Amino acid sequence: MIRIAIANQKGGVGKTTTAINLATALAASGWKVLLLDLDPQGNASTGLGIRHDQRTLSSYDLLTGDATVEEAAIASRVPRLDVVAATVDLSGAEIELVDYEARTERLNMALSGAPTGRWDVCLIDCPPSLGLLTINALVAAPSLLVPLQCEFFALEGLSQLLQTVERVRERFNPDISIFGVVLTMYDKRNNLSGQVAEDVRAVLGKLVFKTVIPRNVRLSEAPSHGLPALIYDYRCPGSEAYMALARETIARLPKKARAA
């Protein structure tokens, strides 16, 4: 099972929106997908229609060792897409995990126990911080997908994230690399969006996906209905962009990645 962490310590960059809709698009393309919600806010879980009374086992239980990933996974409304939901218990996990042995390896150990062939790919939606939860995700996943808002301050956040990735590579996970950077909230009417996009591509080159996610009201509305935008309105520009992003993502994945 391929593991991809979706992370950016800056909030409001479209990270959870990307996690929900990329997972849905991959599932629609025939991939068996596991979306692991590691954000205490649980927005990815809510955005996929997972009710709070369904979250008897969550990503918190994976980290503490009280549940296996197979036990915690919940089938979503989207065929071939399962979710390990998040609860508010994760809020205290940063402190609780300090006392655990191999505290940065907890998620990696949990995902290593996933049954072979159950899922092709696991997307991990990280919280908007660089704490122990995100570190667990970066240790568990050799690939990092970075949503980057097309605004000036996003560039500063990217620099900090790249530094963190380098530290994780040195101390915990020598195999981690950036899978790709996806530009989000792009407004073609705004010159700054175009300038930020140019600057990011000049620095990171082919790491930046060709697909750009536009500002789109349907992407914002969909979570309130517990649906991915691709189901809420599959013809909107945001949905079309995420389908294009899924095609690019699949092209970057190993050809033999699919489970039998």
Side-chain angles (χ1 to χ4, degrees):
M1 177 173 66
I2 296 172
R3 306 174 193 173
I4 302 174
I6 301 176
N8 189 328
Q9 81 279 9
K10 188 178 185 301
V13 299
K15 176 180 56 59
T16 297
T17 299
T18 295
I20 291 171
N21 289 290
L22 179 57
T24 301
L26 289 173
S29 300
W31 289 67
K32 291 179 285 187
V33 183
L34 176 67
L35 176 58
L36 199 155
D37 191 349
L38 208 60
D39 188 341
Q41 297 177 82
N43 291 337
S45 308
T46 301
L48 282 167
I50 306 299
R51 304 186 311 272
H52 287 280
D53 61 357
Q54 293 178 281
R55 307 179 197 184
T56 52
L57 294 174
S58 68
S59 53
Y60 172 81
D61 297 293
L62 292 189
L63 294 172
T64 59
D66 292 329
T68 66
V69 64
E70 192 171 21
E71 291 170 338
I74 303 168
S76 74
R77 302 179 189 182
V78 180
R80 294 181 296 277
L81 173 55
D82 295 335
V83 181
V84 174
T87 63
V88 292
D89 293 334
L90 274 177
S91 301
E94 299 272 1
I95 297 174
E96 293 177 41
L97 287 175
V98 171
D99 296 325
Y100 279 74
E101 185 178 351
R103 58 181 178 269
T104 62
E105 294 276 349
R106 304 298 299 183
L107 185 60
N108 184 41
M109 292 188 292
L111 290 177
S112 295
T116 302
R118 174 72 183 271
W119 298 287
D120 298 312
V121 62
C122 173
L123 302 182
I124 306 171
D125 184 32
C126 299
S129 67
L130 293 176
L132 201 48
L133 293 176
T134 299
I135 295 298
N136 260 269
L138 297 181
V139 170
S143 299
L144 171 64
L145 191 155
V146 183
L148 187 69
Q149 186 179 7
C150 290
E151 293 187 0
F152 172 75
F153 289 120
L155 294 175
E156 288 188 344
L158 177 62
S159 176
Q160 295 172 15
L161 183 62
L162 294 178
Q163 291 174 14
T164 299
V165 170
E166 190 57 39
R167 289 196 293 269
V168 170
R169 182 182 292 118
E170 292 174 357
R171 296 185 58 187
F172 305 114
N173 183 3
D175 297 326
I176 191 170
S177 62
I178 297 179
F179 180 76
V181 174
V182 56
L183 298 170
T184 63
M185 301 183 184
Y186 184 86
D187 187 348
K188 61 183 179 182
R189 300 168 300 179
N190 187 335
N191 291 335
L192 179 60
S193 287
Q195 186 60 57
V196 170
E198 287 182 16
D199 290 347
V200 173
R201 293 188 190 279
V203 173
L204 297 177
K206 293 183 179 179
L207 283 177
V208 185
F209 286 100
K210 293 179 181 178
T211 300
V212 174
I213 309 301
R215 283 193 179 276
N216 181 229
V217 67
R218 291 301 203 189
L219 291 178
S220 302
E221 291 175 351
S224 65
H225 297 271
L227 293 170
L230 275 79
I231 293 178
Y232 180 64
D233 184 355
Y234 73 94
R235 291 183 176 176
C236 74
S239 295
E240 292 177 350
Y242 275 114
M243 283 302 298
L245 179 63
R247 289 191 290 270
E248 275 197 79
T249 298
I250 291 170
R252 295 190 183 193
L253 293 174
K255 293 182 179 180
K256 296 183 180 180
R258 298 282 290 274

mmCIF file with all atom_site columns, all heavy atoms in Angstrom, residues 184-204:
data_model
loop_
_atom_site.group_PDB
_atom_site.id
_atom_site.type_symbol
_atom_site.label_atom_id
_atom_site.label_alt_id
_atom_site.label_comp_id
_atom_site.label_asym_id
_atom_site.label_entity_id
_atom_site.label_seq_id
_atom_site.pdbx_PDB_ins_code
_atom_site.Cartn_x
_atom_site.Cartn_y
_atom_site.Cartn_z
_atom_site.occupancy
_atom_site.B_iso_or_equiv
_atom_site.pdbx_formal_charge
_atom_site.auth_seq_id
_atom_site.auth_comp_id
_atom_site.auth_asym_id
_atom_site.auth_atom_id
_atom_site.pdbx_PDB_model_num
ATOM 1   N N   . THR A 1 184 ? -3.256  25.653 -4.973  1.00 0.00 ? 184 THR A N   1
ATOM 2   C CA  . THR A 1 184 ? -4.684  25.706 -4.670  1.00 0.00 ? 184 THR A CA  1
ATOM 3   C C   . THR A 1 184 ? -5.167  27.156 -4.583  1.00 0.00 ? 184 THR A C   1
ATOM 4   O O   . THR A 1 184 ? -4.372  28.089 -4.489  1.00 0.00 ? 184 THR A O   1
ATOM 5   C CB  . THR A 1 184 ? -4.970  25.008 -3.327  1.00 0.00 ? 184 THR A CB  1
ATOM 6   O OG1 . THR A 1 184 ? -4.289  25.715 -2.270  1.00 0.00 ? 184 THR A OG1 1
ATOM 7   C CG2 . THR A 1 184 ? -4.502  23.566 -3.343  1.00 0.00 ? 184 THR A CG2 1
ATOM 8   N N   . MET A 1 185 ? -6.489  27.289 -4.618  1.00 0.00 ? 185 MET A N   1
ATOM 9   C CA  . MET A 1 185 ? -7.140  28.595 -4.476  1.00 0.00 ? 185 MET A CA  1
ATOM 10  C C   . MET A 1 185 ? -6.605  29.599 -5.500  1.00 0.00 ? 185 MET A C   1
ATOM 11  O O   . MET A 1 185 ? -6.391  30.776 -5.206  1.00 0.00 ? 185 MET A O   1
ATOM 12  C CB  . MET A 1 185 ? -6.978  29.136 -3.053  1.00 0.00 ? 185 MET A CB  1
ATOM 13  C CG  . MET A 1 185 ? -7.565  28.188 -2.004  1.00 0.00 ? 185 MET A CG  1
ATOM 14  S SD  . MET A 1 185 ? -7.441  28.853 -0.343  1.00 0.00 ? 185 MET A SD  1
ATOM 15  C CE  . MET A 1 185 ? -8.088  27.472 0.612   1.00 0.00 ? 185 MET A CE  1
ATOM 16  N N   . TYR A 1 186 ? -6.373  29.114 -6.687  1.00 0.00 ? 186 TYR A N   1
ATOM 17  C CA  . TYR A 1 186 ? -5.839  29.955 -7.756  1.00 0.00 ? 186 TYR A CA  1
ATOM 18  C C   . TYR A 1 186 ? -6.957  30.837 -8.319  1.00 0.00 ? 186 TYR A C   1
ATOM 19  O O   . TYR A 1 186 ? -8.025  30.355 -8.679  1.00 0.00 ? 186 TYR A O   1
ATOM 20  C CB  . TYR A 1 186 ? -5.257  29.076 -8.861  1.00 0.00 ? 186 TYR A CB  1
ATOM 21  C CG  . TYR A 1 186 ? -4.596  29.849 -9.983  1.00 0.00 ? 186 TYR A CG  1
ATOM 22  C CD1 . TYR A 1 186 ? -3.265  30.231 -9.895  1.00 0.00 ? 186 TYR A CD1 1
ATOM 23  C CD2 . TYR A 1 186 ? -5.318  30.198 -11.128 1.00 0.00 ? 186 TYR A CD2 1
ATOM 24  C CE1 . TYR A 1 186 ? -2.652  30.938 -10.918 1.00 0.00 ? 186 TYR A CE1 1
ATOM 25  C CE2 . TYR A 1 186 ? -4.715  30.904 -12.153 1.00 0.00 ? 186 TYR A CE2 1
ATOM 26  C CZ  . TYR A 1 186 ? -3.381  31.276 -12.039 1.00 0.00 ? 186 TYR A CZ  1
ATOM 27  O OH  . TYR A 1 186 ? -2.779  31.980 -13.052 1.00 0.00 ? 186 TYR A OH  1
ATOM 28  N N   . ASP A 1 187 ? -6.682  32.123 -8.382  1.00 0.00 ? 187 ASP A N   1
ATOM 29  C CA  . ASP A 1 187 ? -7.647  33.084 -8.922  1.00 0.00 ? 187 ASP A CA  1
ATOM 30  C C   . ASP A 1 187 ? -7.014  33.747 -10.147 1.00 0.00 ? 187 ASP A C   1
ATOM 31  O O   . ASP A 1 187 ? -6.099  34.563 -10.024 1.00 0.00 ? 187 ASP A O   1
ATOM 32  C CB  . ASP A 1 187 ? -7.992  34.137 -7.864  1.00 0.00 ? 187 ASP A CB  1
ATOM 33  C CG  . ASP A 1 187 ? -9.113  35.070 -8.309  1.00 0.00 ? 187 ASP A CG  1
ATOM 34  O OD1 . ASP A 1 187 ? -9.472  35.050 -9.514  1.00 0.00 ? 187 ASP A OD1 1
ATOM 35  O OD2 . ASP A 1 187 ? -9.624  35.829 -7.463  1.00 0.00 ? 187 ASP A OD2 1
ATOM 36  N N   . LYS A 1 188 ? -7.479  33.367 -11.321 1.00 0.00 ? 188 LYS A N   1
ATOM 37  C CA  . LYS A 1 188 ? -6.863  33.864 -12.559 1.00 0.00 ? 188 LYS A CA  1
ATOM 38  C C   . LYS A 1 188 ? -7.060  35.365 -12.744 1.00 0.00 ? 188 LYS A C   1
ATOM 39  O O   . LYS A 1 188 ? -6.381  35.987 -13.560 1.00 0.00 ? 188 LYS A O   1
ATOM 40  C CB  . LYS A 1 188 ? -7.410  33.104 -13.765 1.00 0.00 ? 188 LYS A CB  1
ATOM 41  C CG  . LYS A 1 188 ? -8.902  33.243 -13.981 1.00 0.00 ? 188 LYS A CG  1
ATOM 42  C CD  . LYS A 1 188 ? -9.355  32.382 -15.156 1.00 0.00 ? 188 LYS A CD  1
ATOM 43  C CE  . LYS A 1 188 ? -10.862 32.488 -15.383 1.00 0.00 ? 188 LYS A CE  1
ATOM 44  N NZ  . LYS A 1 188 ? -11.314 31.625 -16.498 1.00 0.00 ? 188 LYS A NZ  1
ATOM 45  N N   . ARG A 1 189 ? -7.987  35.947 -11.961 1.00 0.00 ? 189 ARG A N   1
ATOM 46  C CA  . ARG A 1 189 ? -8.204  37.396 -12.057 1.00 0.00 ? 189 ARG A CA  1
ATOM 47  C C   . ARG A 1 189 ? -7.192  38.169 -11.208 1.00 0.00 ? 189 ARG A C   1
ATOM 48  O O   . ARG A 1 189 ? -7.097  39.393 -11.307 1.00 0.00 ? 189 ARG A O   1
ATOM 49  C CB  . ARG A 1 189 ? -9.619  37.741 -11.587 1.00 0.00 ? 189 ARG A CB  1
ATOM 50  C CG  . ARG A 1 189 ? -10.731 37.071 -12.389 1.00 0.00 ? 189 ARG A CG  1
ATOM 51  C CD  . ARG A 1 189 ? -12.055 37.214 -11.693 1.00 0.00 ? 189 ARG A CD  1
ATOM 52  N NE  . ARG A 1 189 ? -12.028 36.588 -10.363 1.00 0.00 ? 189 ARG A NE  1
ATOM 53  C CZ  . ARG A 1 189 ? -13.044 36.584 -9.515  1.00 0.00 ? 189 ARG A CZ  1
ATOM 54  N NH1 . ARG A 1 189 ? -14.180 37.179 -9.844  1.00 0.00 ? 189 ARG A NH1 1
ATOM 55  N NH2 . ARG A 1 189 ? -12.925 35.992 -8.343  1.00 0.00 ? 189 ARG A NH2 1
ATOM 56  N N   . ASN A 1 190 ? -6.464  37.428 -10.369 1.00 0.00 ? 190 ASN A N   1
ATOM 57  C CA  . ASN A 1 190 ? -5.532  38.054 -9.434  1.00 0.00 ? 190 ASN A CA  1
ATOM 58  C C   . ASN A 1 190 ? -4.097  37.859 -9.930  1.00 0.00 ? 190 ASN A C   1
ATOM 59  O O   . ASN A 1 190 ? -3.621  36.736 -10.055 1.00 0.00 ? 190 ASN A O   1
ATOM 60  C CB  . ASN A 1 190 ? -5.715  37.414 -8.049  1.00 0.00 ? 190 ASN A CB  1
ATOM 61  C CG  . ASN A 1 190 ? -4.918  38.107 -6.967  1.00 0.00 ? 190 ASN A CG  1
ATOM 62  O OD1 . ASN A 1 190 ? -3.902  38.750 -7.243  1.00 0.00 ? 190 ASN A OD1 1
ATOM 63  N ND2 . ASN A 1 190 ? -5.376  37.984 -5.737  1.00 0.00 ? 190 ASN A ND2 1
ATOM 64  N N   . ASN A 1 191 ? -3.410  38.951 -10.197 1.00 0.00 ? 191 ASN A N   1
ATOM 65  C CA  . ASN A 1 191 ? -2.034  38.860 -10.692 1.00 0.00 ? 191 ASN A CA  1
ATOM 66  C C   . ASN A 1 191 ? -1.111  38.161 -9.705  1.00 0.00 ? 191 ASN A C   1
ATOM 67  O O   . ASN A 1 191 ? -0.154  37.490 -10.103 1.00 0.00 ? 191 ASN A O   1
ATOM 68  C CB  . ASN A 1 191 ? -1.483  40.253 -11.005 1.00 0.00 ? 191 ASN A CB  1
ATOM 69  C CG  . ASN A 1 191 ? -2.150  40.889 -12.217 1.00 0.00 ? 191 ASN A CG  1
ATOM 70  O OD1 . ASN A 1 191 ? -2.655  40.176 -13.087 1.00 0.00 ? 191 ASN A OD1 1
ATOM 71  N ND2 . ASN A 1 191 ? -2.151  42.208 -12.276 1.00 0.00 ? 191 ASN A ND2 1
ATOM 72  N N   . LEU A 1 192 ? -1.403  38.310 -8.402  1.00 0.00 ? 192 LEU A N   1
ATOM 73  C CA  . LEU A 1 192 ? -0.556  37.703 -7.385  1.00 0.00 ? 192 LEU A CA  1
ATOM 74  C C   . LEU A 1 192 ? -0.582  36.182 -7.491  1.00 0.00 ? 192 LEU A C   1
ATOM 75  O O   . LEU A 1 192 ? 0.449   35.526 -7.317  1.00 0.00 ? 192 LEU A O   1
ATOM 76  C CB  . LEU A 1 192 ? -1.000  38.137 -5.986  1.00 0.00 ? 192 LEU A CB  1
ATOM 77  C CG  . LEU A 1 192 ? -0.196  37.554 -4.816  1.00 0.00 ? 192 LEU A CG  1
ATOM 78  C CD1 . LEU A 1 192 ? 1.276   37.958 -4.940  1.00 0.00 ? 192 LEU A CD1 1
ATOM 79  C CD2 . LEU A 1 192 ? -0.779  38.013 -3.487  1.00 0.00 ? 192 LEU A CD2 1
ATOM 80  N N   . SER A 1 193 ? -1.743  35.607 -7.784  1.00 0.00 ? 193 SER A N   1
ATOM 81  C CA  . SER A 1 193 ? -1.848  34.153 -7.941  1.00 0.00 ? 193 SER A CA  1
ATOM 82  C C   . SER A 1 193 ? -0.904  33.669 -9.029  1.00 0.00 ? 193 SER A C   1
ATOM 83  O O   . SER A 1 193 ? -0.183  32.679 -8.864  1.00 0.00 ? 193 SER A O   1
ATOM 84  C CB  . SER A 1 193 ? -3.288  33.751 -8.285  1.00 0.00 ? 193 SER A CB  1
ATOM 85  O OG  . SER A 1 193 ? -4.132  33.864 -7.164  1.00 0.00 ? 193 SER A OG  1
ATOM 86  N N   . GLY A 1 194 ? -0.900  34.378 -10.145 1.00 0.00 ? 194 GLY A N   1
ATOM 87  C CA  . GLY A 1 194 ? -0.027  33.998 -11.241 1.00 0.00 ? 194 GLY A CA  1
ATOM 88  C C   . GLY A 1 194 ? 1.442   34.148 -10.879 1.00 0.00 ? 194 GLY A C   1
ATOM 89  O O   . GLY A 1 194 ? 2.268   33.303 -11.244 1.00 0.00 ? 194 GLY A O   1
ATOM 90  N N   . GLN A 1 195 ? 1.772   35.209 -10.142 1.00 0.00 ? 195 GLN A N   1
ATOM 91  C CA  . GLN A 1 195 ? 3.156   35.438 -9.752  1.00 0.00 ? 195 GLN A CA  1
ATOM 92  C C   . GLN A 1 195 ? 3.652   34.361 -8.787  1.00 0.00 ? 195 GLN A C   1
ATOM 93  O O   . GLN A 1 195 ? 4.766   33.855 -8.911  1.00 0.00 ? 195 GLN A O   1
ATOM 94  C CB  . GLN A 1 195 ? 3.298   36.816 -9.101  1.00 0.00 ? 195 GLN A CB  1
ATOM 95  C CG  . GLN A 1 195 ? 4.741   37.207 -8.796  1.00 0.00 ? 195 GLN A CG  1
ATOM 96  C CD  . GLN A 1 195 ? 5.600   37.257 -10.041 1.00 0.00 ? 195 GLN A CD  1
ATOM 97  O OE1 . GLN A 1 195 ? 5.277   37.981 -10.984 1.00 0.00 ? 195 GLN A OE1 1
ATOM 98  N NE2 . GLN A 1 195 ? 6.683   36.492 -10.061 1.00 0.00 ? 195 GLN A NE2 1
ATOM 99  N N   . VAL A 1 196 ? 2.803   34.007 -7.798  1.00 0.00 ? 196 VAL A N   1
ATOM 100 C CA  . VAL A 1 196 ? 3.172   32.952 -6.846  1.00 0.00 ? 196 VAL A CA  1
ATOM 101 C C   . VAL A 1 196 ? 3.369   31.627 -7.583  1.00 0.00 ? 196 VAL A C   1
ATOM 102 O O   . VAL A 1 196 ? 4.335   30.896 -7.331  1.00 0.00 ? 196 VAL A O   1
ATOM 103 C CB  . VAL A 1 196 ? 2.090   32.799 -5.747  1.00 0.00 ? 196 VAL A CB  1
ATOM 104 C CG1 . VAL A 1 196 ? 2.346   31.536 -4.904  1.00 0.00 ? 196 VAL A CG1 1
ATOM 105 C CG2 . VAL A 1 196 ? 2.070   34.021 -4.852  1.00 0.00 ? 196 VAL A CG2 1
ATOM 106 N N   . ALA A 1 197 ? 2.462   31.327 -8.503  1.00 0.00 ? 197 ALA A N   1
ATOM 107 C CA  . ALA A 1 197 ? 2.582   30.086 -9.272  1.00 0.00 ? 197 ALA A CA  1
ATOM 108 C C   . ALA A 1 197 ? 3.893   30.051 -10.052 1.00 0.00 ? 197 ALA A C   1
ATOM 109 O O   . ALA A 1 197 ? 4.592   29.025 -10.074 1.00 0.00 ? 197 ALA A O   1
ATOM 110 C CB  . ALA A 1 197 ? 1.389   29.941 -10.218 1.00 0.00 ? 197 ALA A CB  1
ATOM 111 N N   . GLU A 1 198 ? 4.238   31.166 -10.671 1.00 0.00 ? 198 GLU A N   1
ATOM 112 C CA  . GLU A 1 198 ? 5.500   31.234 -11.425 1.00 0.00 ? 198 GLU A CA  1
ATOM 113 C C   . GLU A 1 198 ? 6.703   31.042 -10.514 1.00 0.00 ? 198 GLU A C   1
ATOM 114 O O   . GLU A 1 198 ? 7.654   30.322 -10.852 1.00 0.00 ? 198 GLU A O   1
ATOM 115 C CB  . GLU A 1 198 ? 5.599   32.585 -12.146 1.00 0.00 ? 198 GLU A CB  1
ATOM 116 C CG  . GLU A 1 198 ? 4.675   32.719 -13.343 1.00 0.00 ? 198 GLU A CG  1
ATOM 117 C CD  . GLU A 1 198 ? 4.850   34.067 -14.035 1.00 0.00 ? 198 GLU A CD  1
ATOM 118 O OE1 . GLU A 1 198 ? 5.877   34.739 -13.771 1.00 0.00 ? 198 GLU A OE1 1
ATOM 119 O OE2 . GLU A 1 198 ? 3.955   34.450 -14.808 1.00 0.00 ? 198 GLU A OE2 1
ATOM 120 N N   . ASP A 1 199 ? 6.674   31.691 -9.336  1.00 0.00 ? 199 ASP A N   1
ATOM 121 C CA  . ASP A 1 199 ? 7.802   31.602 -8.402  1.00 0.00 ? 199 ASP A CA  1
ATOM 122 C C   . ASP A 1 199 ? 7.988   30.172 -7.899  1.00 0.00 ? 199 ASP A C   1
ATOM 123 O O   . ASP A 1 199 ? 9.114   29.671 -7.812  1.00 0.00 ? 199 ASP A O   1
ATOM 124 C CB  . ASP A 1 199 ? 7.580   32.546 -7.216  1.00 0.00 ? 199 ASP A CB  1
ATOM 125 C CG  . ASP A 1 199 ? 7.697   34.015 -7.610  1.00 0.00 ? 199 ASP A CG  1
ATOM 126 O OD1 . ASP A 1 199 ? 8.194   34.288 -8.724  1.00 0.00 ? 199 ASP A OD1 1
ATOM 127 O OD2 . ASP A 1 199 ? 7.276   34.871 -6.812  1.00 0.00 ? 199 ASP A OD2 1
ATOM 128 N N   . VAL A 1 200 ? 6.870   29.519 -7.571  1.00 0.00 ? 200 VAL A N   1
ATOM 129 C CA  . VAL A 1 200 ? 6.950   28.148 -7.053  1.00 0.00 ? 200 VAL A CA  1
ATOM 130 C C   . VAL A 1 200 ? 7.488   27.208 -8.132  1.00 0.00 ? 200 VAL A C   1
ATOM 131 O O   . VAL A 1 200 ? 8.340   26.359 -7.867  1.00 0.00 ? 200 VAL A O   1
ATOM 132 C CB  . VAL A 1 200 ? 5.573   27.668 -6.551  1.00 0.00 ? 200 VAL A CB  1
ATOM 133 C CG1 . VAL A 1 200 ? 5.631   26.192 -6.167  1.00 0.00 ? 200 VAL A CG1 1
ATOM 134 C CG2 . VAL A 1 200 ? 5.127   28.496 -5.354  1.00 0.00 ? 200 VAL A CG2 1
ATOM 135 N N   . ARG A 1 201 ? 7.009   27.374 -9.347  1.00 0.00 ? 201 ARG A N   1
ATOM 136 C CA  . ARG A 1 201 ? 7.486   26.509 -10.443 1.00 0.00 ? 201 ARG A CA  1
ATOM 137 C C   . ARG A 1 201 ? 8.963   26.770 -10.745 1.00 0.00 ? 201 ARG A C   1
ATOM 138 O O   . ARG A 1 201 ? 9.704   25.839 -11.096 1.00 0.00 ? 201 ARG A O   1
ATOM 139 C CB  . ARG A 1 201 ? 6.643   26.737 -11.698 1.00 0.00 ? 201 ARG A CB  1
ATOM 140 C CG  . ARG A 1 201 ? 5.198   26.273 -11.548 1.00 0.00 ? 201 ARG A CG  1
ATOM 141 C CD  . ARG A 1 201 ? 4.445   26.337 -12.868 1.00 0.00 ? 201 ARG A CD  1
ATOM 142 N NE  . ARG A 1 201 ? 3.013   26.127 -12.672 1.00 0.00 ? 201 ARG A NE  1
ATOM 143 C CZ  . ARG A 1 201 ? 2.451   24.936 -12.527 1.00 0.00 ? 201 ARG A CZ  1
ATOM 144 N NH1 . ARG A 1 201 ? 3.204   23.848 -12.561 1.00 0.00 ? 201 ARG A NH1 1
ATOM 145 N NH2 . ARG A 1 201 ? 1.138   24.815 -12.359 1.00 0.00 ? 201 ARG A NH2 1
ATOM 146 N N   . ALA A 1 202 ? 9.398   28.021 -10.593 1.00 0.00 ? 202 ALA A N   1
ATOM 147 C CA  . ALA A 1 202 ? 10.797  28.342 -10.845 1.00 0.00 ? 202 ALA A CA  1
ATOM 148 C C   . ALA A 1 202 ? 11.713  27.673 -9.826  1.00 0.00 ? 202 ALA A C   1
ATOM 149 O O   . ALA A 1 202 ? 12.822  27.250 -10.156 1.00 0.00 ? 202 ALA A O   1
ATOM 150 C CB  . ALA A 1 202 ? 10.998  29.860 -10.807 1.00 0.00 ? 202 ALA A CB  1
ATOM 151 N N   . VAL A 1 203 ? 11.230  27.551 -8.587  1.00 0.00 ? 203 VAL A N   1
ATOM 152 C CA  . VAL A 1 203 ? 12.037  26.955 -7.516  1.00 0.00 ? 203 VAL A CA  1
ATOM 153 C C   . VAL A 1 203 ? 11.960  25.429 -7.523  1.00 0.00 ? 203 VAL A C   1
ATOM 154 O O   . VAL A 1 203 ? 12.977  24.742 -7.403  1.00 0.00 ? 203 VAL A O   1
ATOM 155 C CB  . VAL A 1 203 ? 11.594  27.499 -6.143  1.00 0.00 ? 203 VAL A CB  1
ATOM 156 C CG1 . VAL A 1 203 ? 12.318  26.759 -5.014  1.00 0.00 ? 203 VAL A CG1 1
ATOM 157 C CG2 . VAL A 1 203 ? 11.860  28.988 -6.048  1.00 0.00 ? 203 VAL A CG2 1
ATOM 158 N N   . LEU A 1 204 ? 10.751  24.887 -7.690  1.00 0.00 ? 204 LEU A N   1
ATOM 159 C CA  . LEU A 1 204 ? 10.548  23.447 -7.522  1.00 0.00 ? 204 LEU A CA  1
ATOM 160 C C   . LEU A 1 204 ? 10.381  22.682 -8.831  1.00 0.00 ? 204 LEU A C   1
ATOM 161 O O   . LEU A 1 204 ? 10.368  21.449 -8.827  1.00 0.00 ? 204 LEU A O   1
ATOM 162 C CB  . LEU A 1 204 ? 9.328   23.201 -6.618  1.00 0.00 ? 204 LEU A CB  1
ATOM 163 C CG  . LEU A 1 204 ? 9.460   23.736 -5.191  1.00 0.00 ? 204 LEU A CG  1
ATOM 164 C CD1 . LEU A 1 204 ? 8.177   23.494 -4.416  1.00 0.00 ? 204 LEU A CD1 1
ATOM 165 C CD2 . LEU A 1 204 ? 10.641  23.093 -4.468  1.00 0.00 ? 204 LEU A CD2 1
#
